[in-house]
mmCIF file with all atom_site columns, all heavy atoms in Angstrom:
data_model
loop_
_atom_site.group_PDB
_atom_site.id
_atom_site.type_symbol
_atom_site.label_atom_id
_atom_site.label_alt_id
_atom_site.label_comp_id
_atom_site.label_asym_id
_atom_site.label_entity_id
_atom_site.label_seq_id
_atom_site.pdbx_PDB_ins_code
_atom_site.Cartn_x
_atom_site.Cartn_y
_atom_site.Cartn_z
_atom_site.occupancy
_atom_site.B_iso_or_equiv
_atom_site.pdbx_formal_charge
_atom_site.auth_seq_id
_atom_site.auth_comp_id
_atom_site.auth_asym_id
_atom_site.auth_atom_id
_atom_site.pdbx_PDB_model_num
ATOM 1  N N   . GLU A 1 284 ? 11.638 65.797 92.773  1.00 98.00 ? 284 GLU A N   1
ATOM 2  C CA  . GLU A 1 284 ? 12.088 67.180 92.650  1.00 98.00 ? 284 GLU A CA  1
ATOM 3  C C   . GLU A 1 284 ? 12.841 67.350 91.345  1.00 98.00 ? 284 GLU A C   1
ATOM 4  O O   . GLU A 1 284 ? 13.297 66.371 90.744  1.00 98.00 ? 284 GLU A O   1
ATOM 5  C CB  . GLU A 1 284 ? 12.980 67.550 93.832  1.00 98.00 ? 284 GLU A CB  1
ATOM 6  C CG  . GLU A 1 284 ? 12.283 67.462 95.188  1.00 98.00 ? 284 GLU A CG  1
ATOM 7  C CD  . GLU A 1 284 ? 13.214 67.779 96.343  1.00 98.00 ? 284 GLU A CD  1
ATOM 8  O OE1 . GLU A 1 284 ? 14.426 68.007 96.086  1.00 98.00 ? 284 GLU A OE1 1
ATOM 9  O OE2 . GLU A 1 284 ? 12.755 67.804 97.496  1.00 98.00 ? 284 GLU A OE2 1
ATOM 10 N N   . ARG A 1 285 ? 12.984 68.580 90.909  1.00 97.00 ? 285 ARG A N   1
ATOM 11 C CA  . ARG A 1 285 ? 13.757 68.861 89.694  1.00 97.00 ? 285 ARG A CA  1
ATOM 12 C C   . ARG A 1 285 ? 15.078 69.512 90.089  1.00 97.00 ? 285 ARG A C   1
ATOM 13 O O   . ARG A 1 285 ? 15.120 70.425 90.930  1.00 97.00 ? 285 ARG A O   1
ATOM 14 C CB  . ARG A 1 285 ? 12.980 69.796 88.770  1.00 97.00 ? 285 ARG A CB  1
ATOM 15 C CG  . ARG A 1 285 ? 11.630 69.268 88.314  1.00 97.00 ? 285 ARG A CG  1
ATOM 16 C CD  . ARG A 1 285 ? 11.748 67.967 87.536  1.00 97.00 ? 285 ARG A CD  1
ATOM 17 N NE  . ARG A 1 285 ? 12.223 68.142 86.187  1.00 97.00 ? 285 ARG A NE  1
ATOM 18 C CZ  . ARG A 1 285 ? 11.430 68.188 85.112  1.00 97.00 ? 285 ARG A CZ  1
ATOM 19 N NH1 . ARG A 1 285 ? 10.106 68.069 85.248  1.00 97.00 ? 285 ARG A NH1 1
ATOM 20 N NH2 . ARG A 1 285 ? 11.926 68.326 83.908  1.00 97.00 ? 285 ARG A NH2 1
ATOM 21 N N   . SER A 1 286 ? 16.155 69.034 89.496  1.00 97.00 ? 286 SER A N   1
ATOM 22 C CA  . SER A 1 286 ? 17.461 69.637 89.730  1.00 97.00 ? 286 SER A CA  1
ATOM 23 C C   . SER A 1 286 ? 17.584 70.902 88.884  1.00 97.00 ? 286 SER A C   1
ATOM 24 O O   . SER A 1 286 ? 16.707 71.204 88.053  1.00 97.00 ? 286 SER A O   1
ATOM 25 C CB  . SER A 1 286 ? 18.572 68.653 89.374  1.00 97.00 ? 286 SER A CB  1
ATOM 26 O OG  . SER A 1 286 ? 18.517 68.336 87.985  1.00 97.00 ? 286 SER A OG  1
ATOM 27 N N   . ALA A 1 287 ? 18.666 71.638 89.062  1.00 96.00 ? 287 ALA A N   1
ATOM 28 C CA  . ALA A 1 287 ? 18.846 72.891 88.331  1.00 96.00 ? 287 ALA A CA  1
ATOM 29 C C   . ALA A 1 287 ? 18.859 72.683 86.829  1.00 96.00 ? 287 ALA A C   1
ATOM 30 O O   . ALA A 1 287 ? 18.432 73.560 86.063  1.00 96.00 ? 287 ALA A O   1
ATOM 31 C CB  . ALA A 1 287 ? 20.144 73.566 88.790  1.00 96.00 ? 287 ALA A CB  1
ATOM 32 N N   . ASP A 1 288 ? 19.336 71.522 86.393  1.00 96.00 ? 288 ASP A N   1
ATOM 33 C CA  . ASP A 1 288 ? 19.384 71.250 84.949  1.00 96.00 ? 288 ASP A CA  1
ATOM 34 C C   . ASP A 1 288 ? 18.144 70.519 84.446  1.00 96.00 ? 288 ASP A C   1
ATOM 35 O O   . ASP A 1 288 ? 18.118 70.033 83.312  1.00 96.00 ? 288 ASP A O   1
ATOM 36 C CB  . ASP A 1 288 ? 20.651 70.466 84.595  1.00 96.00 ? 288 ASP A CB  1
ATOM 37 C CG  . ASP A 1 288 ? 20.749 69.126 85.323  1.00 96.00 ? 288 ASP A CG  1
ATOM 38 O OD1 . ASP A 1 288 ? 19.802 68.793 86.077  1.00 96.00 ? 288 ASP A OD1 1
ATOM 39 O OD2 . ASP A 1 288 ? 21.761 68.421 85.146  1.00 96.00 ? 288 ASP A OD2 1
ATOM 40 N N   . GLY A 1 289 ? 17.101 70.397 85.289  1.00 96.00 ? 289 GLY A N   1
ATOM 41 C CA  . GLY A 1 289 ? 15.835 69.819 84.849  1.00 96.00 ? 289 GLY A CA  1
ATOM 42 C C   . GLY A 1 289 ? 15.692 68.336 85.080  1.00 96.00 ? 289 GLY A C   1
ATOM 43 O O   . GLY A 1 289 ? 14.630 67.768 84.809  1.00 96.00 ? 289 GLY A O   1
ATOM 44 N N   . ARG A 1 290 ? 16.746 67.666 85.566  1.00 98.00 ? 290 ARG A N   1
ATOM 45 C CA  . ARG A 1 290 ? 16.635 66.239 85.834  1.00 98.00 ? 290 ARG A CA  1
ATOM 46 C C   . ARG A 1 290 ? 15.786 65.984 87.076  1.00 98.00 ? 290 ARG A C   1
ATOM 47 O O   . ARG A 1 290 ? 15.404 66.910 87.782  1.00 98.00 ? 290 ARG A O   1
ATOM 48 C CB  . ARG A 1 290 ? 18.030 65.622 85.967  1.00 98.00 ? 290 ARG A CB  1
ATOM 49 C CG  . ARG A 1 290 ? 18.812 65.646 84.658  1.00 98.00 ? 290 ARG A CG  1
ATOM 50 C CD  . ARG A 1 290 ? 20.086 64.827 84.743  1.00 98.00 ? 290 ARG A CD  1
ATOM 51 N NE  . ARG A 1 290 ? 21.038 65.415 85.674  1.00 98.00 ? 290 ARG A NE  1
ATOM 52 C CZ  . ARG A 1 290 ? 22.144 64.792 86.085  1.00 98.00 ? 290 ARG A CZ  1
ATOM 53 N NH1 . ARG A 1 290 ? 22.408 63.551 85.681  1.00 98.00 ? 290 ARG A NH1 1
ATOM 54 N NH2 . ARG A 1 290 ? 22.977 65.407 86.916  1.00 98.00 ? 290 ARG A NH2 1
ATOM 55 N N   . VAL A 1 291 ? 15.490 64.702 87.330  1.00 98.00 ? 291 VAL A N   1
ATOM 56 C CA  . VAL A 1 291 ? 14.580 64.337 88.403  1.00 98.00 ? 291 VAL A CA  1
ATOM 57 C C   . VAL A 1 291 ? 15.358 63.753 89.579  1.00 98.00 ? 291 VAL A C   1
ATOM 58 O O   . VAL A 1 291 ? 16.223 62.884 89.392  1.00 98.00 ? 291 VAL A O   1
ATOM 59 C CB  . VAL A 1 291 ? 13.533 63.322 87.910  1.00 98.00 ? 291 VAL A CB  1
ATOM 60 C CG1 . VAL A 1 291 ? 12.614 62.900 89.053  1.00 98.00 ? 291 VAL A CG1 1
ATOM 61 C CG2 . VAL A 1 291 ? 12.713 63.904 86.767  1.00 98.00 ? 291 VAL A CG2 1
ATOM 62 N N   . ILE A 1 292 ? 15.041 64.235 90.770  1.00 98.00 ? 292 ILE A N   1
ATOM 63 C CA  . ILE A 1 292 ? 15.627 63.705 91.995  1.00 98.00 ? 292 ILE A CA  1
ATOM 64 C C   . ILE A 1 292 ? 14.524 62.971 92.753  1.00 98.00 ? 292 ILE A C   1
ATOM 65 O O   . ILE A 1 292 ? 13.492 63.555 93.095  1.00 98.00 ? 292 ILE A O   1
ATOM 66 C CB  . ILE A 1 292 ? 16.199 64.827 92.875  1.00 98.00 ? 292 ILE A CB  1
ATOM 67 C CG1 . ILE A 1 292 ? 17.301 65.590 92.129  1.00 98.00 ? 292 ILE A CG1 1
ATOM 68 C CG2 . ILE A 1 292 ? 16.740 64.270 94.198  1.00 98.00 ? 292 ILE A CG2 1
ATOM 69 C CD1 . ILE A 1 292 ? 17.744 66.862 92.834  1.00 98.00 ? 292 ILE A CD1 1
ATOM 70 N N   . LEU A 1 293 ? 14.706 61.674 92.986  1.00 98.00 ? 293 LEU A N   1
ATOM 71 C CA  . LEU A 1 293 ? 13.744 60.891 93.752  1.00 98.00 ? 293 LEU A CA  1
ATOM 72 C C   . LEU A 1 293 ? 14.074 60.988 95.227  1.00 98.00 ? 293 LEU A C   1
ATOM 73 O O   . LEU A 1 293 ? 15.224 60.776 95.641  1.00 98.00 ? 293 LEU A O   1
ATOM 74 C CB  . LEU A 1 293 ? 13.779 59.427 93.311  1.00 98.00 ? 293 LEU A CB  1
ATOM 75 C CG  . LEU A 1 293 ? 13.464 59.138 91.839  1.00 98.00 ? 293 LEU A CG  1
ATOM 76 C CD1 . LEU A 1 293 ? 13.546 57.638 91.573  1.00 98.00 ? 293 LEU A CD1 1
ATOM 77 C CD2 . LEU A 1 293 ? 12.106 59.674 91.456  1.00 98.00 ? 293 LEU A CD2 1
ATOM 78 N N   . VAL A 1 294 ? 13.036 61.298 96.015  1.00 98.00 ? 294 VAL A N   1
ATOM 79 C CA  . VAL A 1 294 ? 13.188 61.407 97.471  1.00 98.00 ? 294 VAL A CA  1
ATOM 80 C C   . VAL A 1 294 ? 12.308 60.342 98.108  1.00 98.00 ? 294 VAL A C   1
ATOM 81 O O   . VAL A 1 294 ? 11.113 60.237 97.791  1.00 98.00 ? 294 VAL A O   1
ATOM 82 C CB  . VAL A 1 294 ? 12.784 62.802 97.974  1.00 98.00 ? 294 VAL A CB  1
ATOM 83 C CG1 . VAL A 1 294 ? 13.015 62.904 99.486  1.00 98.00 ? 294 VAL A CG1 1
ATOM 84 C CG2 . VAL A 1 294 ? 13.564 63.890 97.234  1.00 98.00 ? 294 VAL A CG2 1
ATOM 85 N N   . GLY A 1 295 ? 12.885 59.543 98.997  1.00 97.00 ? 295 GLY A N   1
ATOM 86 C CA  . GLY A 1 295 ? 12.152 58.449 99.619  1.00 97.00 ? 295 GLY A CA  1
ATOM 87 C C   . GLY A 1 295 ? 11.391 58.882 100.856 1.00 97.00 ? 295 GLY A C   1
ATOM 88 O O   . GLY A 1 295 ? 11.622 59.964 101.413 1.00 97.00 ? 295 GLY A O   1
ATOM 89 N N   . GLU A 1 296 ? 10.489 58.015 101.301 1.00 97.00 ? 296 GLU A N   1
ATOM 90 C CA  . GLU A 1 296 ? 9.732  58.289 102.524 1.00 97.00 ? 296 GLU A CA  1
ATOM 91 C C   . GLU A 1 296 ? 10.641 58.416 103.737 1.00 97.00 ? 296 GLU A C   1
ATOM 92 O O   . GLU A 1 296 ? 10.286 59.072 104.722 1.00 97.00 ? 296 GLU A O   1
ATOM 93 C CB  . GLU A 1 296 ? 8.706  57.171 102.752 1.00 97.00 ? 296 GLU A CB  1
ATOM 94 C CG  . GLU A 1 296 ? 7.584  57.146 101.727 1.00 97.00 ? 296 GLU A CG  1
ATOM 95 C CD  . GLU A 1 296 ? 6.607  56.004 101.952 1.00 97.00 ? 296 GLU A CD  1
ATOM 96 O OE1 . GLU A 1 296 ? 6.906  55.129 102.809 1.00 97.00 ? 296 GLU A OE1 1
ATOM 97 O OE2 . GLU A 1 296 ? 5.577  55.977 101.292 1.00 97.00 ? 296 GLU A OE2 1
#
Side-chain angles (χ1 to χ4, degrees):
E284 299 178 357
R285 301 300 284 262
S286 63
D288 59 2
R290 293 190 294 169
V291 178
I292 300 170
L293 301 180
V294 183
E296 292 178 351

